[in-house]
Amino acid sequence: MKQYETCLNLIEDLEFRKMLNKEEDHLHAILSINSGAGGTESQDWAEMLMRMYLRWAERHNFESKVLDIQEGENAGIKSASIEIQGDHAYGYLKGENGVHRLVRLSPFDANHKRHTSFASVYAYPVIDDNINIEINPADLSWDTFRSSGPGGQNVNKVESAVRVRHAPSGLVVECQETRSQIQNREKALTMLKSQLYEIELRKQREKINEMEEGKKKIEWGSQIRNYVFHPYKMVKDIRTNVETSNVQQVMDGDIDPFIKAFLIEFA
C-alpha cells in the first residue's frame, strides 16, 4: 500500500510539473516576507509565515537559507528574505504573492482578545547565467551596516551587511547572509537582478491578461489567503476557495493543496 501511494505521488508530481512550463518556472526562488501594520502582532505573524515556508522547503528536500532578516522589537520579524533552492521552486511558489491574513486570540494581549494581522509575501525567481540583466553601475548606491543577527564574534562589530539602491526602479535590497562584505555585495546584486527580472515578467503577464477577455486577474498585493485560528479553525485561499480545517498542518508547511489549486486555475 505504501509503495502504491509513493508511485501515485510520483506520477502526480510528474503530471503537475508539466504545468510549470514557463521559462522562469524551473528557477530557484527568493521569498520576501514583510509584516503589515500592527506592530508585534504582525511581526510575529511574519515570522510564522517564514517558518511555514522553510518547513515547506524541508518537506520537498529543497535547500533554504535566510539572506536577510530584520528582527522585531519585542517578537517576530519586520522583514526577511529567504532563498529556496530546488527544481521548479519558483514555479511552485509564484502563486504565494500577496497579503496573508491571520485571525487569532492574541498571545500578546493581556485580555486575550481576538486580533487580525497581515503580512505580505513576494516571490521572485533567482536568475541564472542564461538570463542577462544589464544594470548601469552609475544607477547603484551602496551602504554598509552592521549585521543585526544575534551573537557571534564578528556580528554587530563589523560592517559586513550591505544595502543597495537602484535609482531607476527605486528598489532597495539588503543582504547580511555572510560575514564577508564582498560575498554579501555579490548576493545583493543577484537579488536585485532577480527582482528586476520578475518585474519584467509581471509586465509581460499583465499585457497578456489585458488581451485575454474573461480571464481572472490576480491583483498585485491583494489579500490571497485567510488563516483563522479563532473562533474556528480554517485556512482558505480566496482565489481558489480551497480550504482546510487542519491549521497546524498548514503552518507546518503543508501548503501544496493551495499551490496546486492556484496553478491549475491560473497558470
Side-chain angles (χ1 to χ4, degrees):
M1 185 65 180
K2 188 175 182 179
Q3 289 181 338
Y4 171 76
E5 291 179 355
T6 301
C7 291
L8 196 63
N9 289 333
L10 287 173
I11 294 173
E12 182 180 332
D13 287 340
L14 287 173
E15 292 179 344
F16 184 64
R17 287 196 179 192
K18 289 181 180 179
M19 299 173 54
L20 303 177
N21 53 16
K22 301 284 193 306
E23 180 183 1
E24 68 276 9
D25 283 346
H26 73 283
L27 297 172
H28 302 323
I30 291 178
L31 287 180
S32 176
I33 303 169
N34 294 275
S35 62
T40 301
E41 291 288 344
S42 293
Q43 291 167 15
D44 185 55
W45 173 226
E47 186 173 38
M48 292 167 65
L49 283 175
M50 182 177 72
R51 176 186 177 276
M52 182 184 77
Y53 289 116
L54 291 174
R55 292 297 301 273
W56 176 84
E58 184 181 323
R59 283 171 173 260
H60 286 266
N61 295 317
F62 288 171
E63 292 186 15
S64 60
K65 52 186 175 181
V66 178
L67 302 177
D68 181 68
I69 189 167
Q70 301 297 322
E71 305 283 350
E73 285 87 356
N74 300 313
I77 59 173
K78 294 180 180 178
S79 64
S81 294
I82 60 176
E83 182 174 352
I84 297 179
Q85 299 180 351
D87 188 23
H88 290 80
Y90 174 70
Y92 287 119
L93 293 170
K94 62 185 179 181
E96 293 300 294
N97 285 337
V99 175
H100 297 243
R101 173 176 174 263
L102 169 69
V103 179
R104 65 171 174 175
L105 293 178
S106 171
F108 304 101
D109 188 329
N111 296 319
H112 214 46
K113 292 183 177 179
R114 188 171 64 185
H115 283 248
T116 300
S117 306
F118 298 89
S120 64
V121 176
Y122 170 43
Y124 53 94
V126 180
I127 63 171
D128 58 22
D129 295 335
N130 296 322
I131 300 172
N132 183 30
I133 301 294
E134 294 185 2
I135 295 179
N136 186 347
D139 292 334
L140 302 179
S141 59
W142 293 88
D143 296 317
T144 59
F145 57 98
R146 294 179 182 179
S147 170
S148 62
Q153 290 185 335
N154 295 329
V155 174
N156 297 323
K157 296 181 181 179
V158 180
E159 291 192 344
S160 59
V162 301
R163 180 186 299 112
V164 60
R165 292 178 173 84
H166 183 242
S169 66
L171 291 174
V172 179
V173 174
E174 295 182 355
C175 183
Q176 53 180 312
E177 178 189 0
T178 73
R179 295 180 180 179
S180 167
Q181 187 182 122
I182 294 176
Q183 292 179 0
N184 285 337
R185 284 174 68 96
E186 292 175 351
K187 175 60 72 173
L189 195 57
T190 297
M191 293 168 66
L192 175 61
K193 288 181 178 180
S194 295
Q195 289 196 36
L196 291 172
Y197 177 59
E198 203 282 333
I199 289 173
E200 289 304 313
L201 291 174
R202 181 155 33 98
K203 288 179 180 178
Q204 293 175 16
R205 289 195 294 266
E206 288 173 353
K207 289 181 181 178
I208 294 173
N209 287 344
E210 288 175 1
M211 292 186 293
E212 294 181 3
E213 294 182 1
K215 185 172 183 178
K216 294 183 179 179
K217 292 185 177 180
I218 307 300
E219 296 297 334
W220 183 254
S222 63
Q223 182 176 320
I224 64 168
R225 194 174 301 146
N226 290 323
Y227 303 72
V228 181
F229 292 10
H230 184 84
Y232 52 87
K233 294 186 182 298
M234 182 184 70
V235 180
K236 182 175 182 177
D237 196 291
I238 297 173
R239 304 160 301 178
T240 62
N241 289 322
V242 171
E243 62 182 67
T244 178
S245 60
N246 197 334
V247 172
Q248 188 57 54
Q249 190 168 323
V250 171
M251 298 313 299
D252 283 337
D254 186 13
I255 58 175
D256 280 346
F258 301 109
I259 290 174
K260 292 181 178 181
F262 171 84
L263 291 174
I264 288 171
E265 189 162 353
F266 296 104

